[in-house]
Amino acid sequence: MSTNLQDRPSRLDDEWDRHRPAVFGVAYRVTGSVADAEDIVQDVWLRAAAQESLDDVRDLRAWLVTVAARRAYDVLGTARARRVDYVGPWLPEPLLTGPDIADKVLVDDTVGTAMMLVLEELSPPERVAFVLRHAFDVPYEQIAEVLGKSPAACRQLASRAGRKVAAARPARPPSRTERERVLTAFRAAYEKGDATALMELLDPDATYTTDGGGKVFAARKIIRGAARVAAVLLRVGRQKSVRFTPTEVNGEPALLVLGALGPEGSRTDRVRAIDTVEIENGRITAYRRVINPDKLPALHVRPR
């Protein structure tokens, strides 16, 4: 059956734009990949467009979300197999959010970078059950259709995943204002090369993780301890002429890293990395930098 635009069922034509953020949202939360999520969105649209009629679908959003979840579940299995051979630490693909982003994205407390890493620790069935139940309020009967399990088993999966997620969450998550304050101070200290100020902003047990994926030079192990993290950050900053611009990633304040982090060694306004942080009690406990070019958006940023 043709899937040209003129052949689309009118209901899909009318409602797709409204439901697309949810389709992308479940796919991204399950896979941790913007590229995979975009592919899944296209697959879901094609499947929906191929239906002779959607008039019998009572809740089109729920139907689209479960179709996306089933496809994402399949993709996740392949992706996890690929990550076994991933070079160095793996970080979720950054999702640019905020008012300047053209495509609408559903943002809540299940899409932050730290949360995405927690989801990565769940088994695939736990992850799907948690995302569908806690982020999209999908009934267990529909989750059972996605996972091929009984509703009772899916309830247990979602409950077990919820306990693991709750145990990993900080007791007092920082407010957006606190995040912005710490990042502003960090940016100033970093760009001035002020080691003392950096040390004051880093938790004594802070970690620094870089995801290069073997595509660019990056540390292949997590760096631990405030003194070592500060030293590495400052050394990279001096060597690569690093500078920042504020942005929003996965619903939280973050930094775009601009400058000569690429192989050409020239200073440009192309994004070379995206930095996100975890903050507790006003200090950075985890600093994460994605420099794998496959995970970076093709952006050019005006200097500030």
Side-chain angles (χ1 to χ4, degrees):
M1 178 177 291
S2 172
T3 57
N4 292 332
L5 286 174
Q6 62 266 29
D7 296 328
R8 283 191 299 172
S10 60
R11 185 180 180 189
L12 181 64
D13 195 16
D14 292 340
E15 299 185 35
W16 173 254
D17 287 344
R18 179 154 53 93
H19 299 314
R20 185 189 185 283
V23 174
F24 178 88
V26 69
Y28 176 71
R29 286 165 175 81
V30 170
T31 65
S33 166
V34 173
D36 285 341
E38 290 174 344
D39 288 344
I40 290 167
V41 168
Q42 182 67 12
D43 289 346
V44 172
W45 188 92
L46 289 172
R47 176 172 174 181
Q51 299 294 309
E52 290 187 6
S53 174
L54 293 172
D55 293 339
D56 294 335
V57 177
R58 183 186 308 177
D59 186 339
L60 183 58
R61 179 183 183 276
W63 185 84
L64 292 169
V65 163
T66 53
V67 171
R70 190 175 296 113
R71 179 69 184 119
Y73 184 35
D74 294 336
V75 170
L76 179 58
T78 303
R80 287 172 74 96
R82 289 197 308 265
R83 287 169 200 166
V84 172
D85 298 322
Y86 196 81
V87 179
W90 178 92
L91 293 173
E93 187 173 347
L95 175 64
L96 291 177
T97 54
D100 297 332
I101 303 304
D103 292 333
K104 293 181 180 178
V105 177
L106 294 179
V107 175
D108 59 19
D109 62 357
T110 65
V111 80
T113 301
M115 174 59 70
M116 295 297 291
L117 287 169
V118 173
L119 294 181
E120 188 68 14
E121 297 299 316
L122 303 178
S123 70
E126 286 175 338
R127 184 168 186 167
V128 171
F130 177 84
V131 168
L132 288 177
R133 185 61 184 171
H134 292 274
F136 294 92
D137 199 28
V138 174
Y140 290 113
E141 289 75 16
Q142 288 179 243
I143 299 175
E145 294 177 7
V146 173
L147 295 178
K149 300 179 182 295
S150 70
C154 292
R155 182 186 296 272
Q156 292 180 343
L157 285 169
S159 178
R160 185 163 62 242
R163 290 193 297 271
K164 292 179 181 179
V165 168
R169 280 176 167 160
R172 189 187 69 83
S175 66
R176 185 178 186 88
T177 299
E178 185 178 11
R179 284 183 177 276
E180 291 175 344
R181 178 187 63 78
V182 172
L183 277 178
T184 298
F186 175 87
R187 178 186 179 189
Y190 195 158
E191 292 182 338
K192 290 178 182 177
D194 189 338
T196 301
L198 275 185
M199 289 288 291
E200 291 177 353
L201 291 167
L202 292 168
D203 184 87
D205 297 320
T207 60
Y208 175 50
T209 305
T210 51
D211 177 346
K215 302 297 181 66
V216 293
F217 179 78
R220 298 194 178 187
K221 293 184 179 180
I222 298 174
I223 296 169
R224 303 180 184 277
R228 292 189 65 203
V229 171
V232 171
L233 286 170
L234 291 175
R235 183 169 65 249
V236 172
R238 286 192 297 268
Q239 293 174 347
K240 302 294 186 179
S241 301
V242 171
R243 64 202 187 285
F244 299 106
T245 191
T247 190
E248 181 179 299
V249 171
N250 293 68
E252 299 171 343
L255 295 170
L256 296 180
V257 183
L258 313 176
L261 289 182
E264 70 278 10
S266 62
R267 181 166 175 154
T268 72
D269 293 327
R270 187 179 298 277
V271 175
R272 301 301 184 185
I274 293 181
D275 291 1
T276 58
V277 299
E278 282 187 57
I279 297 170
E280 291 185 27
N281 300 318
R283 287 188 167 187
I284 296 171
T285 58
Y287 198 97
R288 302 185 178 102
R289 172 167 288 174
V290 174
I291 57 178
N292 183 342
D294 293 343
K295 294 184 177 183
L296 296 177
L299 293 179
H300 293 273
V301 180
R302 294 178 180 178
R304 295 191 180 187

